[in-house]
Amino acid sequence: MPALVLVGAQWGDEGKGKATDQLGGLVDYVVKFNGGNNAGHTVVVGGETYALHLLPSGILSPGCIPVIGNGVVVDLSVLFEEIDGLEARGTDTSRLVVSADAHVIAPYNRTLDRVAERFLGSRRIGTTGRGIGPTYADKMNRVGIRVQDLFDEKILRQKVEGALALKNGLLVKVYNRKAVGVDEVVEELLSYVDRLAPMVADTGLLLSQALDRGETVLLEGGQATLLDVDHGTYPFVTSSSATAGGACTGSGIPPNRVDRVIAVIKAYTTRVGEGPFPTELLDDDGERLRENGGEYGTTTGRPRRCGWYDAPIARYAARVNGVTDFVLTKLDVLTGWERIPVCVAYEVEGRRVEEMPMTQTDFHHAVPVYEHLDGWTEDISTARTLEDLPKNAQAYVQALEQLSGAPFSSIGVGPDREQTLQLRPLL
Ligand code: IMP
């Protein structure tokens, strides 16, 4: 099997880290193709919890080469902080490869992310404040700094000067901040060069050659379908392509080499930041989902907004990504509810709609149409096959699968690697 894509189906935090980690043991390369240290993967291995923000989860699988692809934006201070943290816990990080074409999050972009959010006031996006948006904006504006630029001091200085000519105008005249000096930025970026140099490669070429040799490549999406800059709930999205299409542009692998698209979907829904969320619960049920599911941001610690499973979103994710397999996660969090509502369609201005509405205005006004399924009270965290689940949990999973537009291949009943019902192999 050549290349597999793994994406989030909802608004992120579906538990991709665990899925990637499980697949990581079976693949030769795990590639992060978008986003930066705005992502938060929590991976539990043998009772040890690892919170990764920037590094691909494949870093925890000894046989696998983790790759930071060209589509990623890299905060070098975070990169080395995470490497040092893992090394201190005995994890070997020496296999990591970083694309020469990946963009670097310059320090002024972290500042700009935060001040822009404050400036937007009630129209803020609720970003993670890590400089992700401004760095992607620089990339499109063609004033970005790439990893390869760090190896040519003259070029680096020119590029930083060019970028700061624009940024300082903004910082000083619009946001009322101090100007940033070229020297301090260049100096900071150059301080990473010696450690970075051995990791840098032409990752598109490296991955193509691996595929030619019949090796397996897993392309891991940060964020998720509804946070995709094109296909998500714009403008309340991240700034990169988090859907399956982004896996190709963000890694240099052509579409015809991808033959499986796995989407991770939670048995309920969460989102962080602002923006529409039809099944959001602002009551005790929402609070209970948050507490049972530990729904607090890995990167920011923010409490996540929680709501019931939304099948139109699942069908949308299936369509946009060409999902071949869903990985359902956190089913155990729903244990204890007598009845579990599932959103099967929306009502928009008195009309029932089965699909994601075309306009954001309609999505804002979409009222969920719920079907209520019977819940279960038994502890399901030790279940390892579908038959181990109580009848009502089996029926819940089957109903979700029928509504969601692609088969469920795996079901998570707890955070540990082993707490998984594998219905069909992903590889
Ligand atoms: P940014 O990616 O920091 O620009 O934030 C843009 C939006 O994406 C905000 O609503 C964030 O909360 C959201 N976001 C970014 N990364 C993640 C993630 O890994 N999980 C969930 N939401 C995210």
Side-chain angles (χ1 to χ4, degrees):
M1 180 169 299
L4 302 114
V5 172
L6 185 93
V7 293
Q10 297 153 318
W11 278 285
D13 311 308
E14 296 91 351
K16 281 188 301 284
K18 178 180 161 187
T20 325
D21 171 59
Q22 279 174 322
L23 286 163
L26 306 170
V27 301
D28 300 298
Y29 292 82
V30 174
V31 186
K32 181 178 166 92
F33 63 77
N34 75 307
N37 55 313
N38 48 347
H41 289 319
T42 309
V43 187
V44 182
V45 185
E48 288 266 322
T49 303
Y50 296 86
L52 301 174
H53 302 291
L54 173 61
L55 292 172
S57 337
I59 197 103
L60 299 170
S61 304
C64 150
I65 299 180
V67 177
I68 293 184
N70 58 277
V72 174
V73 291
V74 184
D75 185 322
L76 293 166
S77 64
V78 174
L79 178 74
F80 291 115
E81 222 170 82
E82 286 199 358
I83 289 176
D84 291 343
L86 287 176
E87 289 285 343
R89 290 171 75 177
T91 306
D92 174 23
T93 61
S94 63
R95 303 171 321 278
L96 180 69
V97 184
V98 179
S99 167
D101 291 341
H103 282 244
V104 169
I105 301 180
Y108 45 79
N109 279 336
R110 284 192 299 261
T111 313
L112 277 167
D113 195 356
R114 290 185 199 139
V115 292
E117 281 282 278
R118 245 172 275 151
F119 194 77
L120 282 170
S122 63
R123 286 175 296 117
R124 70 184 174 276
I125 309 297
T127 73
T128 57
R130 304 292 195 264
I132 311 293
T135 304
Y136 278 112
D138 282 1
K139 173 175 173 174
M140 293 309 178
N141 242 347
R142 289 150 300 174
V143 292
I145 312 289
R146 294 192 293 176
V147 163
Q148 59 183 279
D149 299 330
L150 269 58
F151 302 111
D152 185 332
E153 190 176 338
K154 199 167 140 223
I155 290 281
L156 177 66
R157 184 167 289 277
Q158 276 174 12
K159 292 199 170 182
V160 171
E161 271 168 6
L164 280 178
L166 292 170
K167 306 279 171 177
N168 276 335
L170 249 185
L171 278 169
V172 175
K173 294 190 183 128
V174 179
Y175 297 126
N176 210 13
R177 296 269 154 162
K178 274 202 306 222
V180 176
V182 175
D183 286 344
E184 60 187 275
V185 174
V186 171
E187 220 167 274
E188 180 182 330
L189 294 177
L190 287 178
S191 72
Y192 301 111
V193 164
D194 290 345
R195 277 191 88 182
L196 186 63
M199 302 173 187
V200 178
D202 178 343
T203 47
L205 177 65
L206 180 91
L207 294 169
S208 288
Q209 289 173 338
L211 288 169
D212 288 344
R213 289 193 298 270
E215 294 176 344
T216 312
V217 174
L218 176 68
L219 303 154
E220 171 193 14
Q223 292 75 49
T225 303
L226 292 175
L227 289 173
D228 181 283
V229 68
D230 282 275
H231 304 292
T233 46
Y234 190 92
F236 304 103
V237 293
T238 193
S239 315
S240 65
S241 300
T243 46
C248 293
T249 49
S251 69
I253 290 179
N256 59 355
R257 297 200 94 155
V258 174
D259 72 346
R260 205 148 174 188
V261 179
I262 303 161
V264 185
I265 192 157
K266 205 144 49 177
Y268 49 98
T269 314
T270 62
R271 92 170 285 178
V272 272
E274 309 299 317
F277 179 0
T279 65
E280 181 171 19
L281 294 165
L282 299 167
D283 56 9
D284 290 349
D285 281 333
E287 191 55 43
R288 199 166 141 199
L289 281 175
R290 188 174 307 116
E291 289 312 313
N292 289 3
E295 297 294 353
Y296 294 90
T298 317
T299 298
T300 58
R302 286 186 284 181
R304 296 178 185 141
R305 299 159 64 192
C306 297
W308 300 121
Y309 191 83
D310 186 324
I313 283 178
R315 292 194 290 271
Y316 179 71
R319 172 163 64 81
V320 168
N321 294 295
V323 172
T324 58
D325 306 76
F326 273 120
V327 167
L328 185 75
T329 59
K330 295 184 117 173
L331 183 64
D332 54 302
V333 172
L334 295 176
T335 299
W337 264 277
E338 205 173 316
R339 309 266 284 160
I340 308 172
V342 172
C343 168
V344 295
Y346 305 124
E347 208 178 277
V348 181
E349 294 187 354
R351 279 177 307 114
R352 181 182 165 113
V353 290
E354 308 286 333
E355 301 291 334
M356 279 277 286
M358 182 181 81
T359 68
Q360 185 83 296
T361 305
D362 280 353
F363 192 52
H364 263 286
H365 297 131
V367 178
V369 176
Y370 285 117
E371 265 177 27
H372 294 80
L373 305 181
D374 289 330
W376 61 92
T377 52
E378 298 88 335
D379 174 13
I380 60 169
S381 64
T382 55
R384 294 296 176 267
T385 67
L386 204 54
E387 295 68 40
D388 293 341
L389 290 178
K391 285 253 154 358
N392 288 349
Q394 288 187 35
Y396 180 80
V397 170
Q398 277 152 4
L400 258 47
E401 186 173 32
Q402 274 181 4
L403 289 164
S404 300
F408 286 2
S409 293
S410 160
I411 298 168
V413 291
D416 219 85
R417 255 186 203 176
E418 291 72 38
Q419 292 178 298
T420 306
L421 284 56
Q422 205 61 52
L423 308 183
R424 64 175 186 143
L426 290 171
L427 198 63

